[in-house]
Amino acid sequence: MAIDQSLIGKKTEIYQYEVEKGHIRRFVEAVGDDSPLYVDEDFAVETAFNGLIAPPTFATTLTMGKESPFDGIEGFEMRRVLHGEQEYEFHRPIRPGAQYWVQSEITNVFDRKGNSGAMTFIVVETRANDIDKQPVVTCKSTIVYRQSL
């Protein structure tokens, strides 16, 4: 399947995401991060953050199990997808108990030749805003779509 720049601008619907303490706890256990800043309220309240926050890579969970901008693209095969790059821009910490409005958008599509053949790079930007529409985090993910397996 050829993927072209006509996908640029394709967005998911905006959805609400509530951050739960238990979700943060399970996440830090899974990644092996033992910082008390994420799970110990007594410790966290004494820091510059003045309370619990989520670890930076927790932002990746904002899209798990949600609509993808690739949904509905005829012929798009997830088995051809490789994770290429991930970056985060934090406007403020992600906090337990907070509710965010989240939306993903395809912001760039470009082709490259590699040793294994043609590849298409697709950049997806996910933005999470608080209930007052103020930015919390912007995640940029670059995936590599292999034209041949």
Side-chain angles (χ1 to χ4, degrees):
M1 159 189 188
I3 297 176
D4 61 41
Q5 292 194 337
S6 67
L7 290 179
I8 295 173
K10 186 173 186 317
K11 298 178 182 181
T12 63
E13 295 292 324
I14 298 171
Y15 57 88
Q16 190 174 15
Y17 184 98
E18 184 172 347
V19 180
E20 300 174 6
K21 280 189 220 179
H23 193 179
I24 293 172
R25 181 177 296 280
R26 289 188 300 280
F27 182 86
V28 298
E29 288 172 357
V31 299
D33 191 334
D34 60 0
S35 172
L37 183 57
Y38 310 134
V39 294
D40 184 337
E41 291 184 58
D42 293 333
F43 173 85
V45 77
E46 298 296 326
T47 69
F49 294 104
N50 198 32
L52 293 174
I53 63 170
T57 55
F58 182 84
T60 303
T61 69
L62 297 175
T63 59
M64 290 183 172
K66 303 296 183 185
E67 176 189 4
S68 162
F70 307 114
D71 291 349
I73 299 175
E74 189 174 327
F76 189 88
E77 298 176 66
M78 285 304 291
R79 67 189 182 106
R80 295 180 180 272
V81 171
L82 297 172
H83 185 266
E85 183 176 77
Q86 187 76 42
E87 63 183 80
Y88 306 96
E89 178 184 358
F90 288 92
H91 310 285
R92 70 184 104 176
I94 295 174
R95 296 194 175 272
Q99 293 185 6
Y100 300 124
W101 297 102
V102 181
Q103 184 175 45
S104 297
E105 176 181 5
I106 296 173
T107 59
N108 199 5
V109 176
F110 56 95
D111 293 320
R112 293 283 188 268
K113 295 278 186 198
N115 291 339
S116 62
M119 299 176 289
T120 301
F121 290 73
I122 306 168
V123 180
V124 178
E125 193 169 289
T126 299
R127 291 172 295 284
N129 297 319
D130 66 16
I131 59 172
D132 296 320
K133 299 183 182 175
Q134 297 303 305
V136 177
V137 63
T138 304
C139 309
K140 189 186 296 185
S141 179
T142 302
I143 69 157
V144 180
Y145 191 84
R146 298 173 293 162
Q147 295 300 329
S148 60
L149 292 177

